[in-house]
mmCIF file of all heavy atoms in Angstrom:
data_model
loop_
_atom_site.group_PDB
_atom_site.id
_atom_site.type_symbol
_atom_site.label_atom_id
_atom_site.label_comp_id
_atom_site.label_asym_id
_atom_site.label_seq_id
_atom_site.Cartn_x
_atom_site.Cartn_y
_atom_site.Cartn_z
ATOM 1 N N PHE H 68 1.666 209.795 95.137
ATOM 2 C CA PHE H 68 1.297 211.099 95.702
ATOM 3 C C PHE H 68 1.220 212.083 94.548
ATOM 4 O O PHE H 68 2.208 212.303 93.835
ATOM 5 C CB PHE H 68 2.361 211.543 96.708
ATOM 6 C CG PHE H 68 2.177 212.948 97.226
ATOM 7 C CD1 PHE H 68 1.159 213.231 98.135
ATOM 8 C CD2 PHE H 68 3.027 213.979 96.840
ATOM 9 C CE1 PHE H 68 0.993 214.527 98.634
ATOM 10 C CE2 PHE H 68 2.871 215.271 97.332
ATOM 11 C CZ PHE H 68 1.850 215.545 98.233
ATOM 12 N N LEU H 70 0.722 215.796 92.986
ATOM 13 C CA LEU H 70 0.913 217.198 93.326
ATOM 14 C C LEU H 70 0.462 218.041 92.139
ATOM 15 O O LEU H 70 0.879 217.824 90.998
ATOM 16 C CB LEU H 70 2.389 217.467 93.630
ATOM 17 C CG LEU H 70 2.736 218.791 94.337
ATOM 18 C CD1 LEU H 70 2.115 218.839 95.726
ATOM 19 C CD2 LEU H 70 4.240 218.942 94.446
ATOM 20 N N PHE H 118 3.207 215.502 102.133
ATOM 21 C CA PHE H 118 3.621 214.230 101.531
ATOM 22 C C PHE H 118 3.594 213.137 102.595
ATOM 23 O O PHE H 118 4.188 213.271 103.662
ATOM 24 C CB PHE H 118 5.025 214.352 100.952
ATOM 25 C CG PHE H 118 5.555 213.076 100.380
ATOM 26 C CD1 PHE H 118 5.159 212.636 99.136
ATOM 27 C CD2 PHE H 118 6.472 212.298 101.096
ATOM 28 C CE1 PHE H 118 5.639 211.449 98.604
ATOM 29 C CE2 PHE H 118 6.962 211.115 100.564
ATOM 30 C CZ PHE H 118 6.546 210.691 99.321
ATOM 31 N N ASP H 123 4.754 205.764 97.592
ATOM 32 C CA ASP H 123 5.959 205.209 96.983
ATOM 33 C C ASP H 123 6.280 205.834 95.633
ATOM 34 O O ASP H 123 7.121 205.320 94.894
ATOM 35 C CB ASP H 123 5.837 203.687 96.839
ATOM 36 C CG ASP H 123 4.601 203.251 96.052
ATOM 37 O OD1 ASP H 123 3.922 204.130 95.469
ATOM 38 O OD2 ASP H 123 4.310 202.039 96.036
ATOM 39 N N MET H 124 5.617 206.947 95.298
ATOM 40 C CA MET H 124 5.887 207.637 94.038
ATOM 41 C C MET H 124 5.339 209.045 94.119
ATOM 42 O O MET H 124 4.379 209.326 94.834
ATOM 43 C CB MET H 124 5.244 206.903 92.870
ATOM 44 C CG MET H 124 5.154 207.719 91.578
ATOM 45 S SD MET H 124 4.416 206.807 90.243
ATOM 46 C CE MET H 124 5.801 205.785 89.788
ATOM 47 N N VAL H 125 5.967 209.954 93.363
ATOM 48 C CA VAL H 125 5.455 211.322 93.209
ATOM 49 C C VAL H 125 5.003 211.495 91.754
ATOM 50 O O VAL H 125 5.744 211.165 90.824
ATOM 51 C CB VAL H 125 6.521 212.371 93.559
ATOM 52 C CG1 VAL H 125 5.981 213.787 93.328
ATOM 53 C CG2 VAL H 125 6.991 212.206 95.001
ATOM 54 N N ILE H 126 3.782 212.005 91.572
ATOM 55 C CA ILE H 126 3.285 212.351 90.242
ATOM 56 C C ILE H 126 2.979 213.843 90.233
ATOM 57 O O ILE H 126 2.088 214.307 90.943
ATOM 58 C CB ILE H 126 2.014 211.561 89.857
ATOM 59 C CG1 ILE H 126 2.268 210.065 89.873
ATOM 60 C CG2 ILE H 126 1.512 212.007 88.480
ATOM 61 C CD1 ILE H 126 1.023 209.228 89.589
ATOM 62 N N GLY H 127 3.726 214.599 89.450
ATOM 63 C CA GLY H 127 3.441 216.018 89.269
ATOM 64 C C GLY H 127 2.506 216.202 88.085
ATOM 65 O O GLY H 127 2.730 215.594 87.027
ATOM 66 N N SER H 137 7.841 219.291 92.545
ATOM 67 C CA SER H 137 7.681 217.833 92.567
ATOM 68 C C SER H 137 9.017 217.113 92.488
ATOM 69 O O SER H 137 9.229 216.094 93.170
ATOM 70 C CB SER H 137 6.776 217.380 91.404
ATOM 71 O OG SER H 137 5.487 217.929 91.505
ATOM 72 N N ILE H 140 10.588 217.130 95.932
ATOM 73 C CA ILE H 140 9.942 216.171 96.839
ATOM 74 C C ILE H 140 10.363 214.739 96.497
ATOM 75 O O ILE H 140 10.651 213.929 97.387
ATOM 76 C CB ILE H 140 8.405 216.307 96.778
ATOM 77 C CG1 ILE H 140 7.967 217.725 97.169
ATOM 78 C CG2 ILE H 140 7.739 215.275 97.672
ATOM 79 C CD1 ILE H 140 8.437 218.171 98.535
ATOM 80 N N ALA H 141 10.414 214.426 95.204
ATOM 81 C CA ALA H 141 10.848 213.082 94.783
ATOM 82 C C ALA H 141 12.286 212.831 95.173
ATOM 83 O O ALA H 141 12.659 211.716 95.579
ATOM 84 C CB ALA H 141 10.665 212.926 93.280
ATOM 85 N N SER H 144 12.676 212.465 99.092
ATOM 86 C CA SER H 144 12.021 211.234 99.568
ATOM 87 C C SER H 144 12.577 209.982 98.916
ATOM 88 O O SER H 144 12.215 208.867 99.292
ATOM 89 C CB SER H 144 10.508 211.311 99.336
ATOM 90 O OG SER H 144 10.220 211.378 97.946
ATOM 91 N N LYS H 146 11.986 208.806 95.905
ATOM 92 C CA LYS H 146 10.906 208.059 95.261
ATOM 93 C C LYS H 146 10.947 208.275 93.752
ATOM 94 O O LYS H 146 11.447 209.280 93.270
ATOM 95 C CB LYS H 146 9.536 208.556 95.780
ATOM 96 C CG LYS H 146 9.375 208.510 97.296
ATOM 97 C CD LYS H 146 9.401 207.097 97.833
ATOM 98 C CE LYS H 146 9.121 207.120 99.349
ATOM 99 N NZ LYS H 146 9.258 205.767 99.945
ATOM 100 N N PRO H 147 10.407 207.337 92.984
ATOM 101 C CA PRO H 147 10.286 207.539 91.522
ATOM 102 C C PRO H 147 9.397 208.751 91.243
ATOM 103 O O PRO H 147 8.533 209.101 92.071
ATOM 104 C CB PRO H 147 9.624 206.251 91.025
ATOM 105 C CG PRO H 147 9.879 205.248 92.101
ATOM 106 C CD PRO H 147 9.906 205.998 93.384
ATOM 107 N N TYR H 148 9.609 209.349 90.086
ATOM 108 C CA TYR H 148 8.861 210.576 89.759
ATOM 109 C C TYR H 148 8.334 210.527 88.335
ATOM 110 O O TYR H 148 9.058 210.203 87.397
ATOM 111 C CB TYR H 148 9.758 211.801 89.949
ATOM 112 C CG TYR H 148 9.117 213.096 89.494
ATOM 113 C CD1 TYR H 148 7.843 213.448 89.902
ATOM 114 C CD2 TYR H 148 9.795 213.973 88.627
ATOM 115 C CE1 TYR H 148 7.242 214.626 89.484
ATOM 116 C CE2 TYR H 148 9.218 215.164 88.207
ATOM 117 C CZ TYR H 148 7.940 215.474 88.638
ATOM 118 O OH TYR H 148 7.344 216.633 88.220
ATOM 119 N N ILE H 149 7.036 210.874 88.187
ATOM 120 C CA ILE H 149 6.398 211.009 86.873
ATOM 121 C C ILE H 149 5.865 212.431 86.761
ATOM 122 O O ILE H 149 5.241 212.946 87.685
ATOM 123 C CB ILE H 149 5.217 210.028 86.718
ATOM 124 C CG1 ILE H 149 5.715 208.582 86.774
ATOM 125 C CG2 ILE H 149 4.486 210.257 85.388
ATOM 126 C CD1 ILE H 149 4.582 207.555 86.795
#
Side-chain angles (χ1 to χ4, degrees):
F68 173 72
L70 195 63
F118 177 78
D123 56 9
M124 165 179 283
V125 178
I126 301 177
S137 298
I140 301 303
S144 63
K146 305 295 184 185
Y148 174 50
I149 297 173

